Amino acid sequence: MSKDFTPMRSFILNCVRDDSDLPAAYRWLYKHHVADSMSQFAPYVTKYASYRALPTPPDGGNFGTYNWIMTEHYWLFNPFPAVGSTSRGLAFAEYWPDNFLEITNQPPAKELRNPQWQGSKEGYHPIVFAFVPVFWENDFKGCQRTIEDGPNFRWLVAFKYPDGISKEEGDEWFLNQLAPQLTELPELNRFVSSKVLDAPRCSPFHRVAELWFDNSRAWHKAIVGNQHKFVKPSWAKYSQFPYLEPYADFTGIFLLDRPESDHLQQFRGYVTTR
């Protein structure tokens, strides 16, 4: 490991076109992808877990909500040493079914992680791939929360500022104007965020954040019920909160705090019914 490298955490968000694609998507995930992935990076990843998306709340589509899984890794070194590249030096390539792009609502591109993709509410929902520091950089609310304090309805979001708006200008709004308003919401239990790391640069996003609530009703009351009150930046090109275009500039997923599968600990291959 390079002396200049700091271990990283990554988030991957995947969609399916609709629930009818779940059997094929899960078959690929557990029959091929988890085994392929562990064969590649188990020696240098300390956590590899997938979280099933919770049902999308009413109005959730207005916030770029993804409907299938979020996968989390903790990396001991950079697996993508060059911008836009994939890992090199592997004996086997990963297996991808012919219909992978279709069932996961991807654009017809050769590179699965092309950072130039643009999603849209009624169109494609590109894979979100964001690297952040292992520990959250901004801890806005709820740092004393423990597992005994109640259930956690996690809203994980990744977003970027519009073209022409620097990260510094965008963060001035998010950190100094929007975050204080969100922190005051009584329904909000936990609120953390980090900047997306520039290297490796596998996605266009600038920042990741998590906001936790008791349940979807509390999320809806806090976010949808107050969306007209949240401060709008002067540079906004999208008129509705969060003032960033859903699926293009703002994406998210609703999760539990416990993964569906902690693969390094639980995966034992594709075992079928009999």
Side-chain angles (χ1 to χ4, degrees), residues 41-97:
F41 57 54
Y44 54 87
V45 165
T46 60
K47 184 177 181 181
Y48 171 37
S50 291
Y51 298 74
R52 174 74 170 99
L54 293 171
T56 301
D59 303 302
N62 296 329
F63 297 85
T65 300
Y66 278 39
N67 65 3
W68 183 27
I69 57 169
M70 184 277 284
T71 299
E72 178 184 47
H73 303 77
Y74 283 73
W75 302 89
L76 295 179
F77 71 86
N78 179 1
F80 304 112
V83 174
S85 73
T86 56
S87 300
R88 296 291 187 261
L90 301 175
F92 282 107
E94 290 186 55
Y95 172 79
W96 305 97

Side-chain angles (χ1 to χ4, degrees), residues 193-234:
S193 182
S194 287
K195 290 180 289 187
V196 173
L197 297 171
D198 288 328
R201 192 67 177 167
C202 296
S203 78
F205 295 99
H206 293 138
R207 184 168 282 276
V208 170
E210 285 203 26
L211 300 92
W212 297 9
F213 305 85
D214 287 343
N215 49 47
S216 59
R217 288 189 298 274
W219 172 85
H220 194 276
K221 179 180 179 181
I223 300 300
V224 178
N226 291 293
Q227 59 184 334
H228 61 290
K229 300 178 183 178
F230 298 130
V231 61
K232 182 178 180 180
S234 60

Side-chain angles (χ1 to χ4, degrees), residues 231-266:
V231 61
K232 182 178 180 180
S234 60
W235 42 257
K237 299 178 182 179
Y238 189 75
S239 60
Q240 291 180 280
F241 180 76
Y243 311 120
L244 301 166
E245 184 179 352
Y247 298 103
D249 298 329
F250 190 95
T251 63
I253 193 167
F254 296 98
L255 307 165
L256 297 174
D257 53 32
R258 183 181 187 278
E260 179 179 69
S261 174
D262 186 342
H263 302 308
L264 294 178
Q265 304 298 321
Q266 297 173 283

Side-chain angles (χ1 to χ4, degrees), residues 68-164:
W68 183 27
I69 57 169
M70 184 277 284
T71 299
E72 178 184 47
H73 303 77
Y74 283 73
W75 302 89
L76 295 179
F77 71 86
N78 179 1
F80 304 112
V83 174
S85 73
T86 56
S87 300
R88 296 291 187 261
L90 301 175
F92 282 107
E94 290 186 55
Y95 172 79
W96 305 97
D98 292 340
N99 62 347
F100 177 80
L101 296 177
E102 287 76 16
I103 65 176
T104 56
N105 206 7
Q106 302 301 304
K110 292 182 179 179
E111 295 295 331
L112 294 178
R113 292 168 185 154
N114 184 338
Q116 303 306 313
W117 290 352
Q118 287 294 313
S120 64
K121 186 174 181 181
E122 304 301 330
Y124 298 121
H125 299 165
I127 294 175
V128 173
F129 202 108
F131 283 84
V132 299
V134 169
F135 297 105
W136 293 107
E137 296 177 304
N138 307 104
D139 195 329
F140 299 110
K141 186 176 183 179
C143 64
Q144 300 302 318
R145 189 171 182 83
T146 73
I147 196 66
E148 292 301 317
D149 290 321
N152 298 301
F153 182 79
R154 296 169 59 197
W155 188 30
L156 170 66
V157 299
F159 57 91
K160 68 181 182 69
Y161 305 116
D163 293 342

